[in-house]
Amino acid sequence: MRGPPRWHHHHLPTHPHIGRAPPMPHPPLAAAAVILRRRLLLSSPLASSSRARRIFSRAMDSSTTAAAAQHAGGAAAGEYEEVLGRLSSLITQKVRADTGNRGNQWDLMGRYLQILELEEPIARMKVIHVAGTKGKGSTCTFTESILRSCGFRTGLFTSPHLMDVRERFRLDGVDISEEKFLKYFWCCWNKLKEKTDDDIPMPAYFRFMALLAFKIFSAEQVDVALLEVGLGGKFDATNVVKSPVVCGISSLGYDHMEILGNTLGEIAGEKAGIFKKGVPAYTAPQPEEAMVALKRRASELGISLQVVDPLKPHQLKDQHLGLQGEHQYENAGLAVALASTWLEKQGHVDRMPLNHTDPLPDQFIRGLSSASLQGRAQIVPDSQVNSEEKDRDSSLVFYLDGAHSPESMEICARWFSHATKEQSQTCSKSRKILLFNCMSVRDPMRLLPHLVDTATQNGVHFDLALFVPNQSQHNKLGSKASAPAGPEQIDLSWQLSLQAVWEKLLHDDNKGSNSTDSGETSLVFESLPLAIEWLRKNAIEDPSTSYQVLVTGSLHLIGDVLRLLKK
């Protein structure tokens, strides 16, 4: 496999924190982009391959068509872009750990509810509230799907979105329409703009999103509103709900430690902030330290906290869960408890499971097996490379999972190992490639070792790791626009740091082994599209090999990859 120009290789670090200076001058990144594009598009034999030319031509055609469609959309497309720009203006530049994001400022949520006249509607709403470190989005998705299968009108608020901001607001399992989104956005925006000032500023981005969700679900008269906590619990914008029907805590672990605390007990204490007096609460099995903190808070409020066991496969009557991965049985078990309690509290005892061990009612099974959530254990064959390969297996497949905590890295590695083994049984040769980025608030020394060690324990070794910046850093929030086409100076110091961590991991793992493999083990690309093009080029040139690419470390990266693959 050929790589990009020499100065991006792991043995030529350029970042001051990585170590040695490069033995040759570091060419400007803009020039690197031009050289790399030229190599990708013109290098032999690809340039002379008629099939390759068709693929790259098709990619250019699709971007032209998309531009034409956007132009044809006229005013609607322009209005949507304007709304995304206004939402982007609410994203605070403060560090998230800044105390200004909590405490006294959180009290402003009450004022925002008054301005939008949402206090009464929220009090009437039949809410299921879910916090957690990992699995809370999956738990909400399962619960929503169960209750929708039981015949109820559902509203689901989750975060973050992957490709379009409307993914955060689902009505009856479908992203809110652009028309409705625009209507409710302007209703909230105009009222808040009119009544806010220096003393009461416009709400920060996520708070506005939560307020918008309350507006949408109340106006659409949903039977049940499922709210996924954005961050923590106690000071989260969704925690203005005073009397949910039931609360849930999915699996807890170390994440957002700069805000929530350095111990599992502190983190659990923040999550338990969603518990309310008189409201039943459920939790997935937790580490002891976390469980103690959850039980302490439940005891202070005088409520029962029940620990829910993972769902057993036989309870699904030979059906599979709609979300892949063994860990989803834990989320599904919590979802069944939440949905059952909601049904009981609303007087629908006839639709509840009889007990915790027998097979579930058909509508529960239907809901669990049809649940879907993008970017979690999602497998996407690349249509550009595979479309003309009807006579054999896919040669380029992306395995997408938004894991970004140490624990979820392990779960992700186990899933990838299992999923690729299934595919490898049908193809003789495969290459395992990691496509990775994480936010700079994360510690790669806590993430990458968990990924590598768990993959190794499950018999998977990565042939290559690719490190890229997120493309979405160029875009307005959720914009359909792409990153700038022209080369520009991009700071790759973080990606080079990630690469250095990776190389040290491999070096330490190979100590004491007889491995003499001096081949390339990692590359840094200055943009995600260039990395995707490079993968496609290699897959086309090597049709006898299946390229299995694990994309993980950041939900933003997952969204960027999905957006590129679906063009």
Side-chain angles (χ1 to χ4, degrees):
M1 290 171 68
R2 295 191 209 94
R6 286 176 53 84
W7 51 84
H8 283 314
H9 289 186
H10 63 79
H11 52 277
L12 295 173
T14 60
H15 186 244
H17 299 307
I18 295 178
R20 308 183 308 278
M24 53 184 272
H26 191 304
L29 291 174
V34 174
I35 294 167
L36 184 49
R37 284 192 188 93
R38 199 168 289 155
R39 284 185 64 181
L40 285 168
L41 298 172
L42 301 179
S43 62
S44 177
L46 186 63
S48 59
S49 157
S50 61
R51 181 168 166 250
R53 278 203 304 274
R54 283 199 303 278
I55 285 176
F56 287 118
S57 170
R58 196 158 58 226
M60 294 301 293
D61 289 345
S62 67
S63 62
T64 307
T65 305
Q70 187 169 353
H71 180 71
E79 183 185 4
Y80 194 65
E81 288 292 323
E82 181 188 351
V83 164
L84 295 178
R86 297 203 180 197
L87 280 173
S88 297
S89 73
L90 300 178
I91 298 175
T92 176
Q93 296 307 305
K94 285 181 181 175
V95 178
R96 284 195 295 179
D98 191 297
T99 52
N101 282 344
R102 296 176 53 170
N104 293 334
Q105 221 186 358
W106 186 83
D107 294 340
L108 286 175
M109 280 298 291
R111 186 72 187 97
Y112 298 140
L113 294 178
Q114 289 173 359
I115 292 171
L116 296 174
E117 299 173 15
L118 284 171
E119 291 165 304
E120 277 302 309
I122 289 177
R124 290 195 302 269
M125 214 174 275
K126 310 301 183 190
V127 169
I128 296 176
H129 202 187
V130 181
T133 304
K134 50 192 186 291
K136 60 182 185 289
S138 299
T139 299
C140 286
T141 300
F142 279 135
T143 311
E144 183 278 333
S145 193
I146 290 169
L147 292 174
R148 179 158 38 91
S149 293
C150 288
F152 296 99
R153 179 156 171 72
T154 60
L156 172 62
F157 175 59
T158 59
S159 62
H161 63 272
L162 298 183
M163 292 185 288
D164 191 300
V165 72
R166 292 179 295 114
E167 294 165 27
R168 293 170 180 251
F169 316 92
R170 291 174 95 170
L171 294 167
D172 290 327
V174 179
D175 298 350
I176 190 172
S177 69
E178 194 168 301
E179 181 186 5
K180 284 184 176 178
F181 176 76
L182 291 172
K183 179 175 85 172
Y184 294 125
F185 168 84
W186 287 120
C187 178
C188 293
W189 180 270
N190 292 335
K191 278 187 179 176
L192 286 165
K193 270 293 181 189
E194 186 185 333
K195 297 287 176 68
T196 51
D197 51 31
D198 290 343
D199 292 330
I200 303 172
M202 281 289 281
Y205 170 67
F206 185 79
R207 289 178 188 165
F208 183 91
M209 290 298 199
L211 293 164
L212 182 54
F214 293 132
K215 177 65 181 175
I216 291 168
F217 297 157
S218 60
E220 291 292 319
Q221 298 182 309
V222 299
D223 297 316
V224 55
L226 296 105
L227 305 179
E228 178 194 354
V229 166
L231 178 64
K234 185 177 182 182
F235 293 106
D236 189 72
T238 60
N239 206 31
V240 294
V241 176
K242 294 190 173 94
S243 300
V245 175
V246 60
C247 292
I249 306 281
S250 67
S251 189
L252 296 178
Y254 292 100
D255 196 19
H256 299 297
M257 293 159 67
E258 77 281 7
I259 303 170
L260 303 179
N262 292 312
T263 69
L264 273 181
E266 289 174 325
I267 291 169
E270 284 287 326
K271 308 286 184 182
I274 69 167
F275 291 169
K276 307 289 187 301
K277 201 170 185 63
V279 177
Y282 292 87
T283 178
Q286 305 289 0
E288 182 62 23
E289 186 184 354
M291 191 65 80
V292 166
L294 294 179
K295 285 182 174 175
R296 183 188 307 122
R297 182 60 186 148
S299 174
E300 289 168 1
L301 292 167
I303 59 171
S304 68
L305 174 65
Q306 295 187 49
V307 182
V308 184
D309 291 328
L311 200 67
K312 303 290 191 296
H314 80 269
Q315 292 178 269
L316 292 167
K317 297 181 186 171
D318 298 323
Q319 293 289 311
H320 293 287
L321 290 173
L323 306 181
Q324 292 191 38
E326 286 300 308
H327 62 289
Q328 293 295 0
Y329 285 93
E330 186 173 288
N331 298 325
L334 181 55
V336 166
L338 295 172
S340 299
T341 301
W342 188 90
L343 288 167
E344 180 186 12
K345 294 284 184 184
Q346 299 308 306
H348 302 288
V349 182
D350 55 316
R351 306 193 203 188
M352 290 171 53
L354 294 173
N355 54 48
H356 300 303
T357 54
D358 286 353
L360 294 166
D362 288 345
Q363 60 265 39
F364 271 63
I365 294 173
R366 190 164 61 247
L368 290 166
S369 61
S370 63
S372 66
L373 186 61
Q374 287 199 110
R376 276 75 164 186
Q378 183 179 4
I379 301 174
V380 182
D382 182 43
S383 57
Q384 282 200 27
V385 170
N386 305 325
S387 58
E388 297 179 19
E389 305 300 318
K390 308 287 186 198
D391 57 333
R392 66 175 184 79
D393 293 299
S394 300
S395 59
L396 177 57
V397 180
F398 291 87
Y399 296 78
L400 303 139
D401 191 81
H404 51 271
S405 71
E407 297 85 359
S408 56
M409 279 287 150
E410 293 179 14
I411 291 168
C412 172
R414 280 197 295 272
W415 163 71
F416 178 67
S417 305
H418 178 73
T420 50
K421 271 176 196 162
E422 284 186 351
Q423 194 201 358
S424 296
Q425 290 168 2
T426 62
C427 58
S428 55
K429 202 166 104 184
S430 68
R431 285 182 72 85
K432 308 282 192 298
I433 298 173
L434 174 66
L435 180 59
F436 188 90
N437 193 33
C438 65
M439 306 297 277
S440 56
V441 294
R442 315 253 181 241
D443 180 0
M445 285 302 296
R446 293 178 63 85
L447 300 183
L448 289 170
H450 285 266
L451 181 71
V452 171
D453 292 348
T454 307
T456 303
Q457 289 160 19
N458 285 272
V460 165
H461 300 273
F462 290 100
D463 298 289
L464 189 66
L466 311 180
F467 298 97
V468 295
N470 289 350
Q471 187 185 11
S472 48
Q473 70 189 24
H474 301 291
N475 300 351
K476 284 208 303 277
L477 175 79
S479 170
K480 293 171 180 141
S482 298
E488 60 176 41
Q489 204 77 18
I490 297 169
D491 179 10
L492 291 175
S493 56
W494 176 246
Q495 283 68 38
L496 290 162
S497 298
L498 295 175
Q499 185 186 42
V501 171
W502 179 262
E503 291 301 327
K504 184 174 188 312
L505 267 179
L506 296 191
H507 179 263
D508 291 347
D509 283 353
N510 289 331
K511 271 185 184 173
S513 73
N514 295 320
S515 173
T516 56
D517 181 15
S518 59
E520 210 160 55
T521 54
S522 66
L523 302 168
V524 167
F525 285 88
E526 63 200 25
S527 80
L528 178 61
L530 287 176
I532 300 286
E533 281 178 16
W534 186 84
L535 285 164
R536 285 172 170 163
K537 173 181 180 289
N538 280 278
I540 293 165
E541 290 182 337
D542 187 11
S544 63
T545 300
S546 171
Y547 285 77
Q548 299 168 327
V549 184
L550 174 62
V551 187
T552 191
S554 161
L555 275 165
H556 297 290
L557 177 64
I558 300 293
D560 292 340
V561 170
L562 282 170
R563 199 179 289 114
L564 284 168
L565 294 182
K566 293 189 176 183
K567 275 188 177 176

